[in-house]
Amino acid sequence: MKEKTIYEHLREKGLSRRDFMKLCGTIAGMMGLEFVPPVKALGKTLGQSPEEVVAQALKTKPKVPIIWLEFQDCAGCSEAISRSSSPLLSNLVLNDIAIEYHETLMAAAGFQAEKAKEECMKQFFGKYVLVVEGSPTLADDGIYCTVAGKSNLDLLKEAAAGAAAVIATGNCACFGGIPAAHPNPTRAVGVAELIKDKPVVNIPGCPAIPEVTTGTILHFLIMGQLPETDQLKRPLPFYGNTVHDHCLRRPFYEAGKFAGSFDDEGARKGYCLYKLGCKGPTTYNACAGLKWERGLSYPVQSGHPCLGCSEPHFWDGGGFYQGQSAPIIRLDKGSTANLVGVGVAAGAALAGLNAVKKSRAKKDLRKDQSQAPGSEPGSKKEG
Amino acid sequence: MNWTNILNFSRGPLLHVAMIIFVAGLSYRLVRVLLLGWARDRAKNKGSKLWGVIVNYLKGLFVLPFIPWVRRTFRHNELTFIAGGLFHLSLFLVLVFGTAHILVWKSLWGFGWKGLPTPILAFFSAVGIISMIVLLINRLTHPVLKMLTKFPVWINWLVVFLPMITGFIMARHLWFRYEVIFSLHLISVSLLLIWIPFGRISHFLFYFFSKTIHGAQAGKRAVTP
């Protein structure tokens, strides 16, 4: 039997053609598809709009099964996606694209669940998308995070072997996140450091913006490949700009108007939160554009500085409420006093040595002069 | 290695090491200078030492720089005086009243103060950079200065200029990604901090010692410094 396409699935559920085209437009926007190169056919150049590309893909492509693994995580990214602001999108991903295995969301449990995963991995070998939430741990062969008696390293390798692509969602899966914070007892790392032979894309954030995760999954579904990424493997449509670039408080930054505390006049007037520790200038994420809760707001809009949760080591990058320009490791009073002591001691020691040398030289000079006949005492140089 | 890691390194360990070298090195230099020896001052007390110090500072910092034509040093070389003065003034303003710099002071000392508006700071940092370039050209073309200039002077110029230019580009968000130029700024600042104890830029500290001692000597002899 031929596999049903996504469009057929949606039609069966009673989605009208108009709603379908709306959905396609939303997806195209979500994916950041601004422009699709015109297609040459029959001697003519056919312009193709982004939503047509999406519609074409949904009409012709079968469902993509997703296996969603969780390691050292808080399930926050899953929570975010299940409360995604666009019900159509999350429905599409949760119900129609088919997440075959998800420990938190699936009804099955125990051996039943594991069996479902194994069957899925066998049936769709080389086709499924592996989504990883939470950081894998390297310490002691990964025994600090086990599911069904298997270490997370084995689980990851096993699932990645048959995956068409790997999507790491959340800062933990991308860069180690909070489990990797100093002193990192479990040696948590990002997925991309372990999986080298498959295409990996990072969707960092704490949690990852659900629209970005679904957008990336849909991008893979529609274009057949992962989106273009930056140096840290983050998809450019979503991580191309900093939070600072699109910040609605940016004019205040430019004018040098800053809130000095959370309850001063500046904070009430909506001034820039740079002095309260905002990490917006170095944080690449779509917060300021997509926002959260159906575009309702995002942290900086609500009056809280950006924590930089989509950047590596955000937990150890200085205090959240400490200005970004401040040094991460501070010289405290004790160590400053010690350093001054060291400098003073070294200086004094050297000066003492010099003094001894000088007095010896003087003595020698005096001796020489008293021995040498006809020397004039007046020619003696003051040292 | 990506720029986020480089930024974390330059904000963390690199700056830390630079500060360690800066503090220990400056204390060392200070002790070395102080222990070079003091000539015994056998002059009788004729006036107040403190008054001499106060007058010396007031004249040197707040009066003479603004009426420079009364001085021979100015009349002989106006360009160096004006460019040098503007450079010092703008460096002071940006370092002390730049918002990002205030946050550094706050993290070190636990208290901050109000900064100047960004456009004013941008103006002064541009003035500082232009004066640095003018001074460099002057040094490159002036026949006598050229002969006097040795290698460390070029290093002095460079290690001061790099933080200024990278800081300006960063604060104006020009050309580079923010984390790249932020890292470059911090690397150049670290270089400056490491170099200061070993070079003549240490005059930022020693200046106050000589100013105080000269003021005290003049005050003691009751001659206005």
Side-chain angles (χ1 to χ4, degrees), chain B residues 26 29 152 155-156 159 192-204 206:
Chain B
L26 262 188
R29 275 290 304 276
I155 298 187
N156 282 343
V159 293
L192 173 65
L193 286 177
I194 292 169
W195 175 250
I196 281 177
F198 307 106
R200 295 184 64 175
I201 311 172
S202 50
H203 74 255
F204 90 92
F206 290 121

Side-chain angles (χ1 to χ4, degrees), chain A residues 217-253:
Chain A
I217 294 171
L218 287 169
H219 192 286
F220 180 77
L221 172 76
I222 287 154
M223 310 299 263
Q225 60 186 28
L226 291 172
E228 206 186 332
T229 60
D230 67 1
Q231 220 183 1
L232 294 168
K233 292 179 186 286
R234 299 177 293 196
L236 279 177
F238 306 107
Y239 295 89
N241 290 306
T242 62
V243 172
H244 185 64
D245 287 338
H246 288 175
C247 184
L248 80 174
R249 292 176 192 245
R250 180 69 182 265
F252 294 118
Y253 173 87

Side-chain angles (χ1 to χ4, degrees), chain A residues 275-360:
Chain A
K275 274 178 135 180
L276 297 175
C278 186
K279 307 290 184 288
T282 55
T283 304
Y284 290 81
N285 207 343
C287 288
L290 282 176
K291 301 192 182 175
W292 296 73
E293 297 293 330
R294 297 170 205 237
L296 177 71
S297 184
Y298 72 108
V300 175
Q301 189 177 341
S302 317
H304 195 282
C306 170
L307 302 180
C309 72
S310 60
E311 294 296 319
H313 317 297
F314 85 105
W315 205 260
D316 292 325
F320 284 164
Y321 303 103
Q322 192 195 4
Q324 193 176 27
S325 54
I328 295 178
I329 311 169
R330 274 164 285 174
L331 277 184
D332 53 15
K333 274 181 199 153
S335 51
T336 310
N338 284 342
L339 287 172
V340 171
V342 168
V344 167
L350 216 65
L353 270 177
N354 277 355
V356 171
K357 230 182 183 177
K358 209 166 153 187
S359 72
R360 263 193 207 151

Side-chain angles (χ1 to χ4, degrees), chain B residues 13-31:
Chain B
L14 180 65
L15 197 58
H16 190 62
V17 168
M19 284 195 291
I20 286 173
I21 294 173
F22 176 77
V23 173
L26 262 188
S27 334
Y28 166 80
R29 275 290 304 276
L30 205 57
V31 170

Side-chain angles (χ1 to χ4, degrees), chain A residues 20 26 49 109 111 122 124 151 182 189 196 212 229 231 233 251 268 297 321 362 372:
Chain A
F20 175 69
T26 315
S49 66
F111 296 115
K122 230 180 262 169
F124 297 102
S151 82
H182 184 76
V189 291
K196 304 274 185 197
V212 176
T229 60
Q231 220 183 1
K233 292 179 186 286
R268 274 192 285 279
S297 184
Y321 303 103
K362 259 187 190 169

